[in-house]
Amino acid sequence: MKTLLSILLVVAGCFSLAACEESGGGGGFVPTGDILAVSAIPGSNVTIEVGGLAGSVPPGSTIEVTNLDTGETKTSSGQGDESFPPVTFTGDTDDEFNVLVTDGGTIVDDIVIGVTLLSDSVQQNLHSIGQFPTAIRIRGNRAYVVNGGSNNIQIFDLNQNPPSQAGTIVVPPGSNPFDIAFLDNTRAYVPNYAGQSVAVVNVQTRVCEVLIVEAGHSGDTQPCLAVQVIAGNPFEEPASITIAEGKAFVSNNNFDPTFNPAGNGFITVLNTANNLLVTIIEASGANTGSMLLFEGGLYAVNGGATIFDPGTGTFTCNTNFPPSIDLINIQTNTVIDTIDIPLSPQNPLICLLNSLAATSDGFGYMGLGLVGSLLKVDLISGDVINGTGNPIVITDTTGLNNTSPVAIRDNLLFTTLFNSDQIAVLDTNNDELNPFPYMAPFPAGIRAFDPDANLFDGVQTLAIRPGIPGVDFQGPDIFFITGLSTQLGSVDTTLGLE
Amino acid sequence: MKKLLILLLTLLLPLHAFGQEDGDTLETVVVEDAPEKPPLDYPSAFSTVLELDNFMGEYNTASEILSFSPGVVVRDYGGFGQLKTISIRGSSNDQVVILLDGVRLNSPVGGGVDLSTIPVHYVERYEVLRGGASALVGSDAIGGVVNIVTKDTTKPFTFASATYGSYETFSINASRAQKVGDFSYLVSFTHSQSKGNFNFKSVNNLTLTRINNEFHSESLLGKVTYDPGNGWKVSLLNEFFYDDRGVPGLGEFQQPDANQKDLRNLTSINISKEKFINKDFDLDILLFNRFDDLKFKNQEPTFGLPIDTHSKTYSFGINPTLRWFAPYNQVFTFAVDAREDMLINEDYDNPKRFTLGLFAGDEINLFDGLLLINPVVRYDVWNTRHETTDTDSGVSARLGVIVTPFDFLSFKANAGRSYRAPSFGELFYPNEGFIRGNPNLKPETSYDFDVGLLLSHPKAALEVTYFRSHVKDLILFVFISAVTIEPRNVGDVNEQGIEASLALKPFDFFELFAGYTFLDGEIDETGAQLPGRPRNKFDLRAVLDFDYVSLFWETNYVDRIPVSAFPSSKTTPARTVYNTGAKAEWKKLFFTFEIKNLFNNLDVRDALDFPLPGRTYYATSGVNF
């Protein structure tokens, strides 16, 4: 009824005021963005934000938001991009809100909205996954979950909702697969962390075709169909893999102090045409892990190391191994530049860099293995924007709520929070956390709903489905895995959020 | 050959059956060796007695025999000689007390009792008391109690056997009991060993070999009883056990070098006097000392730092009990239970605990056996010394009722409160980064209730029980962060279920036992089914017994078992395993051939997804007279 009334008022106003022609071309302001009331989880006495997405209100307009259940009213104003900043209420997620938009004294919109729940966009426990999952990667309409403990890779068909398991690729017992990278639509490469090997798997037939091992390899090789032996010591805790220019770049943590050379990590370069060794690139830092192809260069993260004090049971950053990022020329297979990231005495847990992801304008973001913060570097200039002394804080800098994986789509960065069972969102345009309508991290596990819960799922890592949600595909666009409850979950950001 | 039916019927009998003289139909038919007393002198409890004679000549372990009891689930962590623990009515390993002739085998470090360290040859029977029993035995008995009763020294016998089987499994035993004047003795020695490296099917459907699964163990039990016939009786028992075993690790995370050595020596002296002071009093004094030595080494664990630990635990104490046969068909029992537990391990800072328990109970028999009321109450106070000294206490109580309207039908009901004090392992596990103890734990407490009926007939017996319990402040080791596991009081657990058992002996040559357990257990915090417990379990054993030959068949079904405390947890596959065998007896000699897991089911996984062996064969021969 109120909506009808507002339409009548706008129409009536257009007859009496010439201003309508200027702002709306005769039809008034036509919103293209949503006005939303958002809460993270259902309940009473929860935080509810009411705001407008770009295109929802005229610039300079006044927005009056009233909680119809409590009568509380708050005001916001239209921004240049036709959004309006959210106003915050404490209320019940059953509450309704009246949003009255006036522009120059004219009522442009007068609507009543209910609360959109972030939790409604999350689906947990979609499918059981294997033990000690380490990665989830998406290619096309398939998600590949790498199960380190189960020595397999589960394949899920994302065209099904919920995703159905389309098959499993098995690597030899004891391999501890850590990652997967795709050569093409048929073949993928899997580094085996404990097996000190790389498996070449056929994702169509779901068979391990070749196991690439060092000479003298004594572990199991079944069920791989063939074994490719490489002389020397090509692998030592191979953790991540990237394929480019017909080569597979395998990063090696090299945590084994007896390995020669000990200390820094290294990158093993394999020829994907014959699976032979091309070369080994010595990294400039320890614990070489995540890699990112950007603008034709390969950025390899040397995560640094930690020290464990058995007396106190605590971890601290190892100052002997500060993190860094090596830029590798993938044609010459050489390190051509290094971005050093000095440790900060003020933040002794800011280290153990993980999962580098970049925005289109060249800013790289990295999750951390111990605490809920991010680091940011300018990949083009090599400048450290947010280093260990001034990290982007997601939860804190001292707890153990690691943000290991980061994934970026457009201007939004998504990262998992292991201990609190959440998925946080960062606006990379301004590095602000929880840009509206992401008014809080997505609740993705037990502790997100009950922070005092003793048991938690351990939301571990995520992947974003390529394409435009709602256009290129229907259904969830983000998929995550949990490390403790070992489940596949999803987020559908199109459910009233975008 | 003894009758299988004994094992069930003796338990299904209501109280009056134990008290009656000749003439009871059940006794005359099958209950030839019925125990003199109900388990733990608590007749109203639902309990099972498993007589070892019924399995004589077969190659069995304590865990295999105990798993026949309704309400009992044995968790097998890897087959031959590996850790095996017991759960009763959905309890954890730590929530079951196991006694050897009344002496606790539970280590103060926690983790429950490893059934693989209890040989079967010196055992007369296992008494399984189902339901909370802290009022009877103190801390830990939230799920129930298993009392292992050793063979009677006054019943002379000689037994010797040798078994050889799959995976180079080899076991020999020699036992003898003899009476010499006022003295009688029992000596039993057992040696067992196995390579144990069985094949199993991996989660990826590959056939793998379980490695580092070998073991050998030695056991020696000696028992001497002096009975001059004047009411006094003194019994001295010493039990020694040692094993050396590989520990293959969690499920498929096989560890080639992990090794464990266990040593246990238990000594007890039992002094009893019938008609103490006057004819209405019996006195029983139990003094005991138990020493456990555990060495564990794992240079490359799947998680955390290398482990090289050596723990010694001492438990010693005294347990005097005075029983008064009071007027009006009452039996009062008063007892004191004083025990000191010590852990000698520098990593734990050598914690110690003194526990004092005071017990009072009554057994009121009314209306000529129609109604029996069984109230008991116990107060325990324990003082734990570590870096600081903490004192805590708990009151446990239990009320049981038996109504026997007809000789063939009786009803039982019990309700009570039990508790479990946190173990040294839970409180003081050394901080190794990945795992640590939590000194701030509260005791677990439980309230439980059960009701059921018992039908008995000379050729059949049926028991059906409903049970329900609520456990508060359950202690679980949980991840508190990505890198640390710590025990926490994770909240409450609700459990309910049904136990049913049926024993049939329609003909002299045929007998059958079937047991079924349904368990519905849920963790409040997650709503998930309790991990490590199947919802359904079914056991069947049938025996065809002819003059010289007997044949037996066993079917064991175990439902899917959740491996974690989360909703939608992964589960082990449901499994059905069939065992069969034949036994030939001629004069004093016997020969047995058995096949376990007859159809070579390689999908058998137990506990937290530990694989178990496929088909195995055993041949046993020996003498028994």
Side-chain angles (χ1 to χ4, degrees):
Chain A
M1 195 64 173
K2 284 192 174 180
T3 308
L4 178 62
L5 182 63
S6 65
I7 293 169
L8 291 174
L9 287 171
V10 170
V11 171
C14 286
F15 280 113
S16 61
L17 301 169
C20 289
E21 195 171 333
E22 291 177 14
S23 63
F29 175 79
V30 179
T32 57
D34 288 331
I35 295 172
L36 296 168
V38 182
S39 174
I41 57 175
S44 50
N45 288 321
V46 297
T47 301
I48 300 168
E49 288 189 352
V50 182
L53 305 180
S56 62
V57 296
S61 57
T62 299
I63 299 96
E64 197 173 272
V65 183
T66 303
N67 184 328
L68 296 177
D69 289 77
T70 64
E72 185 182 14
T73 298
K74 294 190 174 180
T75 306
S76 185
S77 57
Q79 305 296 298
D81 63 351
E82 300 180 340
S83 68
F84 73 88
V87 288
T88 304
F89 295 85
T90 299
D92 191 303
T93 48
D94 288 335
D95 291 351
E96 290 189 314
F97 294 85
N98 174 231
V99 182
L100 180 66
V101 182
T102 56
D103 186 16
T106 302
I107 296 176
V108 183
D109 208 352
D110 186 356
I111 58 172
V112 175
I113 56 175
V115 176
T116 298
L117 297 172
L118 289 177
S119 57
D120 281 351
S121 59
V122 178
Q123 287 185 289
Q124 298 170 240
N125 303 328
L126 291 174
H127 202 289
S128 237
I129 59 175
Q131 288 185 297
F132 307 112
T134 53
I136 176 170
R137 307 284 180 209
I138 297 177
R139 182 178 174 87
N141 62 349
R142 293 278 198 267
Y144 297 81
V145 175
V146 183
N147 296 309
S150 297
N151 299 306
N152 62 29
I153 297 105
Q154 282 171 285
I155 306 170
F156 292 98
D157 181 356
L158 303 185
N159 284 344
Q160 308 295 318
N161 193 8
S164 59
Q165 186 167 339
T168 303
I169 302 168
V170 178
V171 295
S175 291
N176 193 7
F178 241 57
D179 195 6
I180 185 167
F182 302 90
L183 176 65
D184 50 36
N185 287 332
T186 302
R187 286 190 175 74
Y189 282 65
V190 177
N192 295 316
Y193 196 83
Q196 319 297 359
S197 62
V198 170
V200 184
V201 299
N202 187 319
V203 297
Q204 302 298 332
T205 61
R206 292 146 204 166
V207 167
C208 173
E209 293 182 335
V210 180
L211 188 69
I212 306 172
V213 300
E214 63 190 25
H217 176 82
S218 58
D220 280 311
T221 59
Q222 297 292 333
C224 296
L225 302 178
V227 175
Q228 174 74 63
V229 178
I230 295 178
N233 298 320
F235 307 118
E236 192 60 40
E237 285 97 30
S240 187
I241 189 162
T242 297
I243 296 177
E245 298 286 325
K247 292 178 279 193
F249 296 85
V250 183
S251 62
N252 294 266
N253 283 169
N254 189 18
F255 274 145
D256 184 354
T258 64
F259 186 77
N260 187 17
N264 288 349
F266 59 92
I267 294 152
T268 306
V269 186
L270 303 171
N271 185 336
T272 57
N274 53 20
N275 295 322
L276 293 176
L277 180 69
V278 176
T279 188
I280 288 177
I281 307 168
E282 290 200 21
S284 63
N287 187 16
T288 309
S290 177
M291 292 180 289
L292 172 73
L293 276 171
F294 181 76
E295 300 277 314
L298 179 66
Y299 292 83
V301 177
N302 303 307
T306 55
I307 296 174
F308 172 68
D309 180 352
T312 61
T314 56
F315 292 89
T316 51
C317 299
N318 187 335
T319 54
N320 293 324
F321 297 102
S324 61
I325 301 172
D326 286 330
L327 172 58
I328 295 165
N329 183 318
I330 57 175
Q331 273 77 41
T332 62
N333 305 318
T334 53
V335 176
I336 56 175
D337 197 6
T338 296
I339 304 172
D340 292 315
I341 304 175
L343 294 172
S344 165
Q346 285 75 40
N347 292 322
L349 297 179
I350 303 288
C351 55
L352 220 57
L353 278 52
N354 275 295
S355 184
L356 174 63
T359 60
S360 57
D361 52 355
F363 290 101
Y365 290 81
M366 287 159 290
L368 301 177
L370 291 180
V371 294
S373 299
L374 304 175
L375 302 188
K376 178 181 179 181
V377 296
D378 185 338
L379 294 176
I380 297 169
S381 70
D383 294 335
V384 178
I385 313 295
N386 294 93
T388 59
N390 62 332
I392 300 170
V393 178
I394 304 295
T395 56
D396 59 2
T397 58
T398 56
L400 291 174
N401 199 6
N402 58 304
T403 57
S404 301
V406 291
I408 294 175
R409 181 178 62 204
D410 300 330
N411 65 317
L412 294 179
L413 176 149
F414 298 86
T415 184
T416 55
L417 300 169
F418 189 89
N419 285 13
S420 57
D421 281 341
Q422 295 167 313
I423 296 172
V425 188
L426 184 84
D427 186 344
T428 57
N429 287 334
N430 51 24
D431 290 341
E432 286 186 1
L433 196 59
N434 303 325
F436 189 81
Y438 305 103
M439 49 82 64
F442 285 105
I446 294 167
R447 263 200 194 151
F449 295 92
D450 177 8
D452 297 324
N454 286 294
L455 293 163
F456 65 109
D457 289 285
V459 179
Q460 182 161 320
T461 185
L462 57 80
I464 299 174
R465 188 172 181 180
I468 302 170
V471 176
D472 295 329
F473 58 86
Q474 301 300 317
D477 48 321
I478 296 172
F479 291 85
F480 63 88
I481 54 176
T482 59
L484 302 182
S485 58
T486 58
Q487 293 284 325
L488 176 70
S490 70
V491 180
D492 188 343
T493 61
T494 64
L495 291 177
L497 299 175
E498 288 192 342
Chain B
M1 212 174 290
K2 296 268 184 162
K3 303 295 179 278
L4 168 71
L5 209 52
I6 291 171
L7 77 123
L8 258 295
L9 292 184
T10 51
L11 267 295
L12 299 179
L13 278 174
L15 171 77
H16 73 276
F18 294 103
Q20 284 184 342
E21 300 299 325
D22 291 345
D24 181 280
T25 51
L26 280 166
E27 280 190 328
T28 53
V29 175
V30 290
V31 191
E32 21 196 335
D33 293 321
E36 294 171 359
K37 301 187 295 184
L40 301 180
D41 288 327
Y42 196 76
S44 65
F46 289 94
S47 50
T48 316
V49 174
L50 297 146
E51 298 275 356
L52 266 293
D53 275 354
N54 296 304
F55 300 89
M56 194 282 295
E58 299 170 26
Y59 181 69
N60 275 315
T61 60
S63 58
E64 286 170 315
I65 295 170
L66 282 166
S67 66
F68 275 104
S69 171
V72 165
V73 170
V74 169
R75 300 198 181 111
D76 192 333
Y77 294 79
F80 302 96
Q82 290 298 324
L83 176 66
K84 291 169 183 56
T85 61
I86 188 170
S87 164
I88 301 179
R89 292 185 171 176
S91 73
S92 67
N93 307 341
D94 285 302
Q95 292 171 343
V96 176
V97 170
I98 298 191
L99 309 170
L100 181 68
D101 280 350
V103 180
R104 264 175 190 258
L105 293 180
N106 297 62
S107 165
V109 182
V113 174
D114 183 354
L115 298 174
S116 74
T117 69
I118 303 170
V120 297
H121 289 98
Y122 59 63
V123 176
E124 172 107 10
R125 64 182 183 273
Y126 297 103
E127 301 176 343
V128 182
L129 191 147
R130 287 129 49 197
S134 285
L136 302 173
V137 298
S139 178
D140 306 342
I142 284 176
V145 182
V146 177
N147 187 27
I148 302 166
V149 180
T150 59
K151 288 185 183 297
D152 190 345
T153 57
T154 62
K155 295 176 182 170
F157 76 96
T158 301
F159 179 90
S161 70
T163 299
Y164 187 79
S166 300
Y167 309 109
E168 298 180 46
T169 300
F170 175 63
S171 178
I172 54 169
N173 168 260
S175 302
R176 180 175 170 82
Q178 189 176 13
K179 203 165 184 304
V180 183
D182 292 341
F183 290 88
S184 55
Y185 71 87
L186 164 71
V187 178
S188 180
F189 169 76
T190 303
H191 165 85
S192 295
Q193 66 183 59
S194 178
K195 292 286 186 193
N197 295 344
F198 58 86
N199 289 340
F200 67 100
K201 201 175 281 183
S202 77
V203 293
N204 296 318
N205 218 25
L206 301 173
T207 299
L208 305 180
T209 300
R210 190 88 165 135
I211 59 170
N212 191 27
N213 204 31
E214 76 286 352
F215 84 98
H216 71 85
S217 66
E218 324 294 335
S219 161
L220 178 64
L221 178 131
K223 188 174 164 186
V224 178
T225 302
Y226 172 65
D227 184 357
N230 58 2
W232 284 95
K233 190 156 77 173
V234 180
S235 187
L236 170 66
L237 178 145
N238 194 84
E239 190 258 358
F240 171 84
F241 178 85
Y242 172 79
D243 75 1
D244 184 341
R245 55 177 139 168
V247 182
L250 292 165
E252 284 157 296
F253 296 91
Q254 304 209 63
Q255 303 183 113
D257 302 317
N259 177 268
Q260 180 170 325
K261 293 180 175 66
D262 301 277
L263 184 151
R264 178 181 67 237
N265 194 80
L266 182 152
T267 307
S268 70
I269 300 173
N270 191 292
I271 304 167
S272 61
K273 174 73 173 80
E274 291 178 353
K275 300 181 176 59
F276 179 69
I277 303 175
N278 65 42
K279 65 180 178 56
D280 295 329
F281 290 89
D282 280 357
L283 177 69
D284 194 272
I285 300 173
L286 177 68
L287 299 104
F288 59 89
N289 175 59
R290 200 191 73 243
F291 168 66
D292 292 288
D293 184 294
L294 187 150
K295 293 175 183 169
F296 181 79
K297 273 188 186 179
N298 188 1
Q299 294 306 311
E300 293 186 11
T302 306
F303 309 103
L305 304 173
I307 302 169
D308 186 353
T309 182
H310 184 186
S311 295
K312 297 177 182 179
T313 56
Y314 298 88
S315 293
F316 52 88
I318 184 168
N319 180 198
T321 302
L322 183 67
R323 190 165 290 111
W324 175 30
F325 299 93
Y328 304 107
N329 293 321
Q330 294 190 80
V331 181
F332 285 103
T333 304
F334 306 95
V336 177
D337 188 356
R339 186 177 79 251
E340 173 79 1
D341 294 311
M342 303 163 62
L343 168 62
I344 308 301
N345 185 323
E346 292 299 330
D347 294 336
Y348 285 75
D349 286 336
N350 302 330
K352 300 176 179 65
R353 177 181 283 166
F354 176 72
T355 304
L356 178 65
L358 303 173
F359 170 89
D362 192 7
E363 189 181 304
I364 310 162
N365 205 329
L366 300 171
F367 312 120
D368 196 23
L370 175 66
L371 176 66
L372 182 133
I373 303 171
N374 215 178
V376 293
V377 62
R378 177 174 170 132
Y379 172 75
D380 287 285
V381 57
W382 61 94
N383 174 267
T384 307
R385 287 107 66 201
H386 189 241
E387 291 172 347
T388 59
T389 298
D390 295 306
T391 301
D392 208 339
S393 62
V395 175
S396 314
R398 190 161 185 85
L399 176 65
V401 175
I402 306 178
V403 180
T404 310
F406 306 103
D407 283 350
F408 63 89
L409 173 67
S410 54
F411 300 91
K412 286 185 178 183
N414 298 273
R417 180 185 193 275
S418 294
Y419 77 96
R420 182 175 80 84
S423 67
F424 289 161
E426 291 163 335
L427 293 167
F428 311 124
Y429 195 97
N431 194 338
E432 294 174 352
F434 182 68
I435 187 168
R436 66 189 184 202
N438 177 5
N440 301 315
L441 291 171
K442 293 183 287 189
E444 297 173 342
T445 56
S446 81
Y447 296 88
D448 73 305
F449 160 79
D450 57 23
V451 61
L453 65 85
L454 306 96
L455 277 167
S456 53
H457 178 272
K459 294 183 183 299
L462 172 73
E463 178 195 272
V464 180
T465 313
Y466 169 79
F467 63 89
R468 187 177 184 89
S469 67
H470 179 81
V471 182
K472 293 180 66 175
D473 299 317
L474 178 75
I475 298 171
L476 280 183
F477 276 85
V478 295
F479 273 91
I480 59 166
S481 74
V483 292
T484 308
I485 288 178
E486 184 181 286
R488 289 278 178 95
N489 292 104
V490 297
D492 297 358
V493 170
N494 290 300
E495 294 162 309
Q496 62 177 343
I498 293 170
E499 298 158 343
S501 56
L502 173 69
L504 290 175
K505 190 172 170 58
F507 313 105
D508 286 346
F509 61 89
F510 177 69
E511 57 197 64
L512 179 144
F513 162 71
Y516 168 73
T517 305
F518 168 75
L519 174 70
D520 175 22
E522 192 174 278
I523 299 175
D524 273 5
E525 188 164 277
T526 62
Q529 185 187 339
L530 277 168
R533 288 88 161 162
R535 281 176 74 85
N536 296 281
K537 171 181 167 278
F538 173 76
D539 298 285
L540 179 144
R541 180 177 161 99
V543 180
L544 279 172
D545 187 6
F546 304 105
D547 285 344
Y548 298 104
V549 176
S550 64
L551 307 170
F552 68 87
W553 176 273
E554 296 170 353
T555 300
N556 306 116
Y557 168 78
V558 178
D559 205 348
R560 297 180 302 163
I561 302 173
V563 299
S564 78
F566 295 98
S568 308
S569 166
K570 184 185 170 200
T571 63
T572 62
R575 65 176 196 257
T576 305
V577 170
Y578 304 92
N579 308 321
T580 189
K583 184 160 45 179
E585 285 183 274
W586 183 68
K587 295 186 175 177
K588 298 174 183 176
L589 304 175
F590 68 88
F591 177 81
T592 309
F593 180 73
E594 300 167 66
I595 306 173
K596 299 194 179 191
N597 196 351
L598 179 65
F599 299 113
N600 198 28
N601 182 353
L602 296 180
D603 274 331
V604 180
R605 284 171 175 259
D606 200 33
L608 303 174
D609 215 13
F610 285 76
L612 301 183
R615 180 169 49 234
T616 52
Y617 306 89
Y618 302 94
T620 302
S621 64
V623 293
N624 181 34
F625 57 92

